[in-house]
Amino acid sequence: MRLLRALLRGAAPGNIPQQVDFYSRFSPSPLSMKQFLDFGSENACEKTSFMFLRQELPVRLANIMKEISLLPDNLLRTPSVQLVQSWYVQSLQEILDFKDKSSEDSGAVQSFTDTVIKIRNRHNDVIPTMAQGVIEYKESFGIDPVTSQNVQYFLDRFYMSRISIRMLLNQHSLLFGGKINPAHPKHIGSIDPNCNVVEVIKDGYENAKSLCDLYYMSSPELILEELNSKSPGQPMQVVYVPSHLYHMIFELFKNAMRATMEHHADRGIYPAIHVHITLGNEDLTVKMSDRGGGVPMRKIDRLFNYMYSTAPRPRVETSRATPLAGFGYGLPISRLYAQYFQGDLKLYSLEGYGTDAVIYIKALSTESIERLPVYNKAAWKHYKANHEADDWCVPSSEPKDMTTFRSM
């Protein structure tokens, strides 16, 4: 907390710490996909968006800024984490500058849109920069189970908050920034009202295949099956953010291809990757199955652990570089994208055979509601609680020799 307040004092007027305390007392207001869609397609009004965002963005920023301050002091002192904090402080200050501006002032509303675009661009590198801070901390101080658990809890919430803030920034800037993407004229901001899931999957496969061909000189084929039980014979379409779905699909294809190529390197024959898509009344489900040898059950959770990555330390350059290359954050971030609108991403592995990755997406836009972290007493207790010994026996790697025990 002392470090955060020092940053706040150094980067902004003296009332900013009080503003963080004030806005963090409010819970963020989650929006449904239908609300995003209805506003953008029927009632798109820049003044209304301006009035909502100047209240909602400070709440979302302040809530996660309070949690940042609960991290270990040595992690907060890393240059990368301090840089991320400075971005959040600056962005909060810039939004608060519009707190008392009138929505009838067209100049103020246009200036706000320009500020939203500037903030969005400033936060482009938040994920790799925070990841770099975790690496700096891990290299300098090592890691213990309690810190690892707290950092895992924080990063899931921090990155989810970042996804949600970016969603709001993107919707406003795309709707009112004056530029329409000619490639996607029917999109409502970043949302496709008729997102063609098959096309996104094929796009993700082709791009992952290009990388695989480049590195391994070959790649597994794709076998795609689809079942629309909700509307038989109709295309697989849902209201969704295509870039979110693509991020998940591309990451899963990369992992499946790498595992398949390495597991079958000696044979030189690479089994195809099977993708099944089903659309029901409640869920759209994508299952990707590979023959890449799988992983042991005990390692499944590690695949989603930010602190566990054994990849070599990457060099952070710009957001134009390959996203998260070397950080090992692909799967945990993909799961957050799935969970953001109440879906999920799960892995089921058969060691020695292969892995099934399953993405669940809500089929109804009314049920696709933002999943947002909120700073409250429960969150505070998570960071401050003493993690006591487990209440289950921990198996020994060397079981006791029972022949040494005497009978009673």
Side-chain angles (χ1 to χ4, degrees), residues 55 58 131 157 162 189 213 217 229 311 350:
Q55 293 296 326
R157 294 165 65 82
R162 191 259 184 183
D213 288 337
M217 307 302 292
S229 62
L350 287 74

Side-chain angles (χ1 to χ4, degrees), residues 1 4 64-71 73 76 85:
M1 179 61 75
L4 177 59
I64 203 62
M65 288 168 74
K66 293 289 282 188
E67 290 202 37
I68 293 175
S69 68
L70 298 176
L71 292 173
D73 283 348
L76 289 174
Q85 283 186 298

Side-chain angles (χ1 to χ4, degrees), residues 150-361:
N150 284 344
V151 170
Q152 180 74 20
Y153 175 81
F154 166 76
L155 288 178
D156 269 342
R157 294 165 65 82
F158 176 76
Y159 290 142
M160 184 68 87
S161 171
R162 191 259 184 183
I163 291 171
S164 78
I165 291 170
R166 196 165 188 83
M167 182 72 185
L168 296 182
L169 298 175
N170 273 335
Q171 286 304 104
H172 186 86
S173 60
L174 290 172
L175 288 172
F176 308 114
K179 295 181 180 179
I180 298 177
N181 188 343
H184 306 289
K186 295 184 179 180
H187 282 198
I188 308 301
S190 59
I191 299 171
D192 187 348
N194 300 291
C195 179
N196 190 310
V197 179
V198 173
E199 287 184 3
V200 176
I201 289 173
K202 288 181 178 179
D203 190 27
Y205 170 77
E206 290 299 330
N207 288 331
K209 181 179 185 298
S210 297
L211 288 178
C212 191
D213 288 337
L214 189 64
Y215 191 80
Y216 294 103
M217 307 302 292
S218 186
S219 56
E221 293 297 318
L222 170 64
I223 297 178
L224 186 64
E225 297 181 38
E226 52 185 296
L227 172 64
N228 190 339
S229 62
K230 184 178 180 181
S231 303
Q234 297 299 312
M236 293 282 200
Q237 294 181 339
V238 290
V239 180
Y240 208 66
V241 183
S243 60
H244 291 188
L245 179 59
Y246 174 84
H247 183 106
M248 295 181 265
I249 293 296
F250 181 61
E251 179 63 29
L252 293 179
F253 270 129
K254 284 194 301 180
N255 292 343
M257 288 181 182
R258 182 173 64 248
T260 300
M261 299 305 292
E262 294 180 356
H263 187 64
H264 296 275
D266 294 340
R267 295 177 55 207
I269 300 174
Y270 307 105
I273 296 171
H274 291 252
V275 174
H276 294 79
I277 316 167
T278 61
L279 178 60
N281 292 324
E282 295 188 20
D283 297 328
L284 179 137
T285 309
V286 179
K287 184 177 78 167
M288 186 182 300
S289 305
D290 67 59
R291 293 278 306 276
V295 295
M297 182 184 70
R298 66 181 176 86
K299 291 186 176 180
I300 290 291
D301 288 342
R302 295 180 187 176
L303 299 177
F304 294 99
N305 193 316
Y306 301 100
M307 304 293 284
Y308 184 72
S309 176
T310 57
R313 177 172 177 157
R315 183 177 63 185
V316 177
E317 293 177 347
T318 70
S319 57
R320 291 184 294 275
T322 303
L324 311 183
F327 285 110
Y329 279 24
L331 275 176
I333 297 295
S334 294
R335 182 168 66 176
L336 293 181
Y337 274 118
Q339 293 174 341
Y340 174 49
F341 279 115
Q342 304 298 326
D344 209 348
L345 189 160
K346 294 182 179 294
L347 296 182
Y348 305 95
S349 189
L350 287 74
E351 186 186 8
Y353 182 81
T355 301
D356 287 353
V358 184
I359 297 172
Y360 298 97
I361 293 173

